[in-house]
């Protein structure tokens, strides 16, 4: 197979519709099985019509042959792009021999509505009074006639609230929870769909069901109406006829509105439907809407309309129950075997007027009933009143739950498994990571980490999916972002979230505790007088750590440019809160939910201040801002000195003396070299004194194993990984966990369920150990100088009881693999795969005795520089290391 070009993306997406970046960025992958392959030049062509590409007449842009190895984020430099324009593109490259590949298959994208004046519709809703306790689902519709053949039709839609758009009896798009969650005071996203196939000549109908969502429904513990009280819809359907003319059908006062089956629907409080009330056929042209009211037209929306760039929320997996038991004369509990976020879809027979209630929970009480104490004010219940007749498929529209178990009430008999599905829904991020070892418990831990991500990457990275919280906590996002980006391609997701973080940044530079802003700080300030946030150490720092991670993992420099000033403001703000460069107290959450150790707030806050400053220096360096590099490097050194003088004793002990402190100080590279050995020694001692157990909370936990492994304590890191008595990761695995728990002691053998007011069983934060699995156990580390795994630092660290690791990571250059095996006699075999246009420095645990690389490299070395292709290295480890 000759080298070829695949996986063309524009701004991280395949053939995206309705983007609003005037300078889109192109990426592609070069495939070739041969060794040492790389790109020496590329050519991109962009045209307004497909035919123009194949005829070699690109009328928007022809880059010509550009000598470059760049295959990620090449910026469009062609003619100015206008709203709604469709563009087709293709690319070819020259390989290392200077031979061009064939042109790629063509790909396309289209532009969205680039200016305010391009929106011709009005925001419409209906006359529900804001005082009503339960806002029903609103149905809105209009009909229109088309009397000529249609060439292309695109619909742009948004809502303050949530919408489900329908044309001629069919739902448009498979996404759920559109338009997604942002701070609606500032910004709302819109979606674009190609609906050419939906339309017919003659009568057509367009309609939408509108729910309260985050806009007017309950948000977290803040209650309802955080952003507004009356949901509204914006739709613009652009029909282009074959004859070159066109017309727009938009939301305005001519639309008609009514209600239907949805009596209420609320993210936190569940949904109730009376299926008898559904206006059958309401989304078809021939429906009689004489009894419907004219829609109400609202004032123009003052915030910004932004095209959605992150992958939409979809139903990603459907699970069937693995077990069931009766809990009452008409109720059964079903176990789906996996904790998740989503809802239940079920088909029930039943007579008219019968009520079916579906309740959701993550755990069971010892008596087999649902454990719902940890839900606080959330009501994870969907209720359906049946209309009789044929068995109906039922599912909610605008609510979701965190659950593994459901109880169905209202049926004498158990439902057959095929009639009851758990719909796991999350932001549809492409899977990029795979990690498997010789130890089934570690494998389950990895799967729990991935499911923690699935259960919480829901338009924003939420802390949990079940209780009345589900907020975009910045601290949680920050500690997990690196792990998340090994598991899935989160680049577009975090670009969107970073905008939420910046939208919520305070005037003085403070980054928030939660984003999108949902009045959390206001809420908290009222209930606690001496509370500092938003600007918590480890939380606010997300504003620097997230963009840096996107650069490291995806080579994204645009996110650094876009938010450079916001990051600088944060650093300057932190400095302004200091006394002698020490951040007193600014760490309300501290090392959240640590066990048996308390990390002093000022020490922790100063460490984070130093870390963010150090990252900012690197960011300034990447962007070539030389003056800032010097100025902030100097600031970093002064913080470092202040930290050491104030908090580090002569014997190297850091004030507070907790595992988290040493782990963070080492991971953040805040300690000067001469203090590192003492910190490593003390960290190891603390773990040993604690009988091989950790004591870290949200902030310390992700740093712990990396700090140990990086500083020669790999065996101790493995001891912590394998530990399965309390507190440890495998303690929860041993007790049947299928997701990561919020707290180490969420459930214990001695005390059962703990702290119900804050006891989620689906919280990804403590799962940040996933980062260590990829970076150290598998040894897949990016190089900040050549990010996105252009240069792979491949250094597996075997240890503990593991005899093999198989890891795969789908990078921007293609798949990377690191597979190792340790035989009882000490033979260590490492097989790696490096994609074209990338290269690796492989470091083995001992000098190679044999290589399977076609004689390219001599044995005897520990370190090899290799290009693309597959290679196998064999070395011998010490008997002690291999004796496991
Ligand atoms: C709780 C959650 C969340 C955490 C905050 C500080 O509400 O556990 O994950 O970030 O507190």
């Amino acid at each position: 197979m000759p080298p070829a070009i695949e996986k063309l993306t524009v701004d991280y997406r395949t053939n995206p519709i309705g983007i609003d970046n005037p300078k889109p960025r192109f990426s592609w992958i070069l495939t070739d099985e041969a060794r040492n392959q790389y790109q020496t030049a590329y050519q991109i062509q962009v045209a307004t019509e497909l035919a123009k590409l194949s005829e070699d007449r690109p009328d928007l842009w022809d880059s010509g042959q550009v000598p470059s190895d760049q295959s990620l984020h090449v910026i469009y430099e062609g003619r100015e792009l206008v709203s709604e324009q469709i563009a087709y593109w293709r690319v070819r490259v020259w390989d290392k021999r200077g031979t061009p590949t064939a042109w790629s298959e063509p790909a396309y994208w289209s532009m969205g509505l680039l200016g305010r004046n391009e929106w011709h519709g009005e925001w419409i809703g209906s006359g529900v009074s804001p005082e009503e306790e339960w806002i029903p689902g609103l149905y809105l519709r209009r009909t229109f006639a088309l009397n000529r053949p249609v060439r292309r039709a695109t619909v742009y839609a948004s809502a303050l609230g949530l919408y489900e758009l329908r044309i001629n009896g069919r739902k448009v798009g498979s996404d759920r929870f559109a338009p997604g969650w942002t701070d609606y005071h500032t910004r709302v996203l819109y979606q674009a769909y190609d609906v050419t196939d939906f339309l017919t000549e003659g009568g057509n109908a367009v309609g939408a069901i509108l729910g309260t969502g985050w806009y007017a429904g309950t948000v977290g513990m803040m209650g309802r109406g955080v952003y507004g009280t009356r949901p509204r819809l914006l739709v613009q359907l652009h029909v282009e006829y074959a004859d070159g003319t066109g017309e727009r059908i938009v939301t305005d006062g001519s639309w008609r509105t009514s209600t239907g089956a949805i009596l209420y629907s609320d993210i936190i409080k569940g949904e109730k439907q009376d299926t008898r009330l559904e206006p059958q056929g309401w989304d078809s042209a021939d429906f009689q809407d004489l009894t419907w009211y004219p829609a109400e037209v609202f004032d123009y929306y003052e915030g910004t309309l932004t095209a959605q760039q992150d992958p939409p929320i979809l139903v990603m997996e459907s699970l069937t129950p693995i077990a069931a038991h009766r809990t009452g004369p008409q109720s059964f509990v079903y176990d789906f075997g996996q904790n998740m976020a989503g809802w239940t879809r079920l088909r029930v027979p039943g007579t008219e007027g019968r009520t079916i209630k579906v309740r959701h929970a993550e755990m069971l009480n010892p008596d087999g009933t649902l454990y719902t104490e940890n839900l606080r004010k959330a009501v994870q219940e969907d209720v359906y009143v049946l209309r009789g007749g044929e068995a109906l498929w039922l599912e909610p529209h605008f609510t979701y739950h965190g659950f593994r178990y459901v109880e169905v009430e209202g049926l004498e008999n158990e439902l057959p498994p095929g009639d009851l599905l758990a719909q796991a829904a999350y932001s549809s991020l492409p899977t990029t990571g795979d990690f498997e070892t010789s130890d089934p418990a570690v494998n389950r831990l990895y799967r729990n980490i991935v499911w923690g991500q699935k259960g919480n990457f829901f338009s924003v990275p939420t802390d949990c999916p079940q209780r009345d919280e589900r907020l975009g906590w910045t601290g949680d996002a920050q500690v997990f972002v690196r792990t998340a980006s090994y598991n899935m391609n989160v680049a577009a997701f975090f670009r969107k979230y970073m905008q939420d973080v910046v939208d919520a940044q305070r005037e003085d530079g403070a980054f928030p505790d939660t984003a999108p802003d949902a009045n959390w700080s206001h809420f908290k300030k009222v209930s606690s007088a001496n509370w500092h946030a938003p600007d918590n150490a480890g939380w606010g720092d997300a504003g620097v750590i997230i963009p840096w991670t996107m650069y490291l993992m995806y080579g994204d420099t645009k996110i650094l440019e876009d938010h450079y000033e916001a990051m600088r403001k944060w650093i300057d703000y932190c400095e302004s809160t200091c006394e002698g460069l020490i951040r007193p107290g600014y760490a309300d959450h501290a090392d959240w939910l640590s066990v048996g150790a308390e990390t002093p707030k000022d020490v922790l806050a100063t460490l984070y201040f130093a870390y963010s400053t150090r990252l900012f220096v690197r960011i300034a360096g990447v962007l070539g801002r030389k003056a800032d590099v010097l100025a902030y490097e100097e600031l970093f050194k002064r913080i470092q000195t202040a930290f050491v003088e104030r908090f580090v004793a002569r014997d190297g002990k850091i004030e507070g003396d907790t595992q988290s402190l040493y782990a963070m100080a080492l991971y953040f590279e805040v300690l000067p070299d001469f203090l590192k050995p003492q910190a490593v020694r003390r960290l190891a001692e603390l773990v040993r004194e604690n009988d091989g157990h950790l004591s870290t909370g949200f902030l310390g936990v992700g740093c712990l194993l990396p700090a140990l492994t990086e500083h020669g304590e790999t065996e101790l890191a493995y001891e912590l990984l394998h530990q399965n008595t309390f507190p440890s990761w495998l303690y929860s695995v041993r007790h049947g966990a299928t997701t990561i728990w919020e707290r180490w002691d969420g459930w214990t053998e001695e005390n059962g369920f703990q702290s119900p007011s804050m006891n989620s069983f689906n919280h990804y934060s403590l799962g940040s150990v996933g980062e260590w699995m990829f970076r150290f156990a598998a040894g897949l580390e990016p190089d900040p100088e050549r990010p996105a795994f252009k240069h792979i630092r491949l250094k597996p660290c075997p240890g503990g009881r593991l005899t093999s690791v198989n890891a795969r990571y789908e990078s921007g250059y293609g798949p990377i693999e690191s597979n190792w095996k340790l035989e009882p006699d000490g033979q260590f075999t490492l097989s790696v795969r490096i994609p074209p246009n990338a290269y690796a420095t492989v470091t083995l645990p001992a000098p190679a005795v044999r290589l399977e690389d076609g004689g390219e490299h001599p044995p005897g070395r520990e370190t090899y520089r290799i290009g693309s292709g597959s290679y196998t290295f064999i070395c011998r480890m010490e008997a002690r290391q291999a004796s496991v």
Side-chain angles (χ1 to χ4, degrees):
M1 287 271 282
I5 301 298
E6 278 178 12
K7 298 206 174 154
L8 278 65
T9 54
V10 176
D11 291 348
Y12 296 110
R13 286 155 70 203
T14 309
N15 300 334
I17 293 186
I19 69 171
D20 62 3
N21 176 8
K23 293 231 168 214
R25 295 179 303 159
F26 305 110
S27 304
W28 58 86
I29 282 177
L30 170 63
T31 63
D32 191 3
E33 291 303 320
R35 289 230 172 100
N36 305 315
Q37 186 55 280
Y38 53 91
Q39 169 188 314
T40 54
Y42 67 80
Q43 180 177 14
I44 297 173
Q45 291 185 337
V46 188
T48 52
E49 284 167 40
L50 205 47
K52 289 191 172 144
L53 276 190
S54 45
E55 291 158 14
D56 218 6
R57 290 187 293 120
D59 54 344
L60 285 173
W61 189 39
D62 189 342
S63 70
Q65 182 179 353
V66 181
S68 163
D69 67 349
Q70 188 180 357
S71 57
L72 296 179
H73 318 304
V74 175
I75 299 172
Y76 173 79
E77 298 290 357
R79 271 171 41 203
E80 193 184 338
L81 297 163
V82 298
S83 287
E84 304 199 61
Q85 172 161 25
I86 187 157
Y88 299 89
W89 69 289
R90 62 179 185 174
V91 56
R92 64 172 168 170
V93 312
W94 281 259
D95 71 4
K96 63 172 174 182
R97 290 194 191 83
T99 312
T101 63
W103 283 105
S104 69
E105 289 293 315
Y108 65 87
W109 83 92
S110 74
M111 300 304 288
L113 301 174
L114 300 182
R116 237 352 222 273
N117 53 352
E118 314 268 357
W119 287 94
H120 302 283
E122 291 174 294
W123 291 87
I124 61 167
S126 87
V128 214
S129 114
E131 283 77 48
E132 267 182 69
E133 200 196 341
W134 293 109
I135 301 182
L138 303 180
Y139 291 54
L140 294 137
R141 62 174 251 123
R142 73 157 277 180
T143 53
F144 55 96
L146 299 176
N147 43 27
R148 271 167 291 166
V150 172
R151 179 167 58 92
R152 174 185 169 210
T154 312
V155 65
Y156 305 90
S158 183
L160 294 171
L162 299 174
Y163 73 90
E164 253 181 56
L165 190 66
R166 306 189 66 91
I167 294 179
N168 294 334
R170 275 163 69 196
K171 183 179 181 308
V172 174
S174 42
D175 45 345
R176 307 291 297 250
F177 291 80
W181 185 12
T182 49
D183 172 2
Y184 303 110
H185 293 307
T186 312
R187 183 185 308 278
V188 67
L189 304 181
Y190 69 88
Q191 287 72 38
Y193 309 92
D194 183 333
V195 290
T196 317
D197 292 347
F198 282 69
L199 302 177
T200 55
E201 262 186 83
N204 290 269
V206 54
I209 309 178
L210 199 52
T212 53
W214 294 281
Y215 177 74
T218 312
V219 176
M221 48 283 211
M222 277 73 76
R224 292 198 300 143
V226 166
Y227 303 103
T229 49
R230 302 174 64 192
R232 53 203 79 178
L233 174 76
L234 178 68
V235 172
Q236 176 159 320
L237 169 62
H238 187 186
V239 180
E240 296 166 59
Y241 295 113
D243 63 11
T245 60
E247 70 178 290
R248 291 196 181 91
I249 289 99
V250 299
T251 37
D252 57 22
S254 75
W255 286 52
R256 300 185 74 80
T257 173
S258 184
T259 53
I262 305 171
L263 302 185
Y264 63 78
S265 186
D266 183 283
I267 288 176
I268 301 282
K269 303 284 186 183
E271 181 164 316
K272 181 166 186 182
Q273 297 176 16
D274 185 336
T275 59
R276 296 171 300 188
L277 302 178
E278 185 70 354
Q280 299 298 319
W282 70 275
D283 47 5
S284 310
D286 50 11
F287 178 78
Q288 291 302 321
D289 59 15
L290 292 174
T291 58
W292 288 37
Y293 294 92
E296 185 176 341
V297 175
F298 289 94
D299 286 347
Y300 208 72
Y301 173 64
E302 295 295 336
T304 306
L305 275 152
T306 301
Q308 178 174 3
Q309 55 179 319
D310 57 312
I313 296 169
L314 300 177
V315 171
M316 298 292 283
E317 288 164 69
S318 287
L319 287 80
T320 48
I322 57 164
H325 62 270
R326 187 184 278 277
T327 44
Q330 293 202 344
S331 52
F332 295 85
V333 164
Y334 299 86
D335 174 5
F336 286 97
Q338 175 60 57
N339 201 15
M340 74 193 104
W343 54 86
T344 309
R345 179 174 152 83
L346 69 170
R347 183 165 59 178
V348 289
T351 43
E352 204 235 281
R354 182 189 276 259
T355 299
I356 307 290
K357 195 190 255 189
V358 189
R359 300 168 60 228
H360 300 75
E362 299 182 289
M363 298 285 252
L364 294 182
N365 292 312
D367 66 357
T369 57
L370 299 186
Y371 170 74
T372 53
E373 258 186 293
N374 66 339
L375 300 181
R376 300 201 305 222
K377 288 186 185 151
V379 183
Q380 299 210 100
E381 294 181 6
D382 301 328
V383 183
Y384 306 94
V385 181
L386 302 183
R387 68 163 186 245
E390 197 193 331
L392 279 185
W393 276 108
L394 303 167
E395 68 179 300
H397 294 260
F398 303 120
T399 189
Y400 75 98
H401 315 294
F403 69 104
R404 165 176 172 169
Y405 302 93
V406 304
E407 184 179 63
V408 181
E409 269 175 50
L411 291 172
E412 285 84 14
N413 301 312
E414 208 182 298
L415 284 167
D419 285 357
L420 187 72
L421 301 171
Q423 306 286 73
Y426 45 90
S427 289
S428 47
L429 308 170
T431 298
T432 49
D434 196 16
F435 181 85
E436 215 193 339
T437 73
S438 51
D439 182 343
V442 173
N443 297 345
R444 183 66 241 189
L445 172 63
Y446 176 66
R447 286 204 301 280
N448 293 1
I449 293 169
V450 174
W451 270 103
Q453 184 167 354
K454 291 175 175 178
N456 283 294
F457 277 38
F458 204 87
S459 181
V460 307
T462 63
D463 62 329
C464 59
Q466 72 301 90
R467 66 175 178 234
D468 59 343
E469 183 146 356
R470 315 183 195 186
L471 298 176
W473 285 98
T474 47
D476 306 37
Q478 170 275 111
V479 298
F480 191 67
V481 61
R482 189 76 182 271
T483 301
S485 47
Y486 277 104
N487 295 336
M488 302 180 196
N489 188 326
V490 293
F493 180 82
F494 275 108
R495 281 191 64 80
K496 182 264 176 193
Y497 181 63
M498 195 50 205
Q499 188 62 58
D500 295 332
V501 171
V502 171
D503 283 347
Q505 186 174 28
R506 219 165 49 183
E507 193 82 336
D508 61 9
F511 277 132
D513 246 15
T514 68
D517 183 42
N519 260 353
W520 154 251
S521 356
H522 174 74
F523 177 81
K524 187 68 195 177
K525 229 170 225 133
V526 177
S527 57
S528 155
N530 54 8
W531 192 73
H532 291 298
D535 60 358
N536 263 303
W539 272 253
D541 296 282
V544 179
I545 296 168
I546 290 173
W548 170 254
T549 308
M550 294 303 105
Y551 165 75
L552 197 61
M553 297 296 281
Y554 304 107
D556 195 331
T557 49
K558 187 168 192 304
I559 195 169
L560 303 182
E561 279 157 21
D562 288 351
H563 303 302
Y564 188 74
E565 287 308 322
M567 293 189 263
R568 183 216 298 278
K569 265 176 95 174
W570 165 249
I571 305 291
D572 293 352
Y573 168 79
C574 289
E575 189 180 356
S576 77
T577 65
C578 287
E579 286 161 22
L581 292 177
I582 301 301
R583 282 197 88 201
Y586 282 84
D588 285 307
H589 313 311
D591 187 22
W592 191 242
L593 302 179
S594 57
V595 263
E598 235 179 88
T599 296
K601 293 179 175 183
D602 47 355
V603 192
L604 184 145
T606 307
L607 271 178
Y608 259 100
F609 176 34
Y611 183 43
S612 280
T613 306
R614 205 172 64 73
L615 292 184
F616 186 70
V617 172
R618 304 184 87 163
I619 290 166
V622 170
L623 299 181
R625 316 262 186 141
K626 294 206 179 92
D628 286 346
V629 173
L630 294 178
Y632 288 89
E633 174 76 51
E634 209 256 333
L635 174 62
F636 171 77
K637 288 202 178 114
R638 287 194 292 125
I639 306 169
Q640 191 182 37
T641 309
F643 180 85
V644 172
E645 278 174 5
R646 173 81 172 66
F647 297 126
V648 187
R650 277 177 176 276
D651 61 359
K653 266 200 190 153
I654 302 179
E655 192 175 307
D657 198 32
T658 61
Q659 291 178 18
S660 285
L661 277 179
Y662 295 102
M664 288 190 283
L666 290 164
Y667 185 106
F668 295 171
E669 295 175 53
V670 172
L671 294 178
D673 285 345
F674 75 95
L675 285 172
K676 283 182 188 163
Q678 297 168 61
V680 178
R681 209 174 313 128
R682 184 61 191 146
L683 173 58
E685 234 168 61
L686 285 170
V687 174
R688 287 200 190 96
E689 280 167 16
N690 206 20
D691 210 11
H693 291 88
L694 45 73
S695 66
T696 47
F698 278 27
L699 298 183
V701 68
C703 301
L704 186 59
L705 303 201
L708 287 170
T709 311
E710 210 151 12
H711 294 94
E713 291 286 354
T714 299
E715 280 308 316
L716 201 54
Y718 273 100
E719 193 179 327
L720 287 165
L721 177 75
H722 289 307
Q723 182 59 263
N724 69 4
T725 57
F726 177 82
S728 65
W729 289 287
L730 295 193
Y731 183 71
S732 68
V733 168
R734 185 154 65 83
H735 290 288
T738 59
T739 35
I740 300 293
W741 297 352
E742 177 176 23
R743 19 181 4 122
W744 298 113
D745 61 356
W747 181 93
T748 60
E749 283 152 4
E750 295 73 44
N751 303 313
F753 293 115
Q754 291 293 290
S755 320
S757 65
M758 224 189 58
N759 193 15
S760 147
F761 290 96
N762 197 353
H763 234 78
Y764 54 67
S765 296
L766 297 178
S768 56
V769 64
E771 168 182 338
W772 176 87
M773 293 174 169
F774 281 98
R775 289 180 60 199
F776 295 94
L780 297 179
E781 174 84 326
D783 172 358
E785 301 296 323
R786 315 289 329 257
F789 296 89
K790 174 86 180 170
H791 175 210
I792 306 152
R793 293 171 167 170
L794 211 159
K795 185 183 174 191
C797 302
R801 290 201 299 271
L802 295 190
T803 54
S804 73
V805 167
N806 294 314
R808 184 184 156 93
Y809 173 70
E810 197 75 40
S811 75
Y813 294 95
I816 306 171
E817 281 176 31
S818 166
N819 305 309
W820 61 256
K821 209 161 107 200
L822 183 58
E823 310 286 352
D825 67 358
Q827 176 168 304
F828 179 86
T829 309
L830 172 69
S831 297
V832 304
R833 181 171 167 202
I834 309 300
N837 212 23
Y839 61 98
T841 303
V842 176
T843 306
L844 303 168
V849 291
R850 196 150 60 79
L851 277 87
E852 284 163 21
D853 73 339
E856 253 179 62
H857 299 92
R861 296 210 303 254
E862 270 182 23
T863 300
Y864 292 89
R865 170 69 67 98
I866 57 173
S868 73
S870 299
Y871 304 79
T872 298
F873 303 85
I874 296 157
C875 62
R876 274 202 177 274
M877 298 199 35
E878 303 265 320
R880 185 186 60 84
Q881 285 166 287
S883 68
V884 285

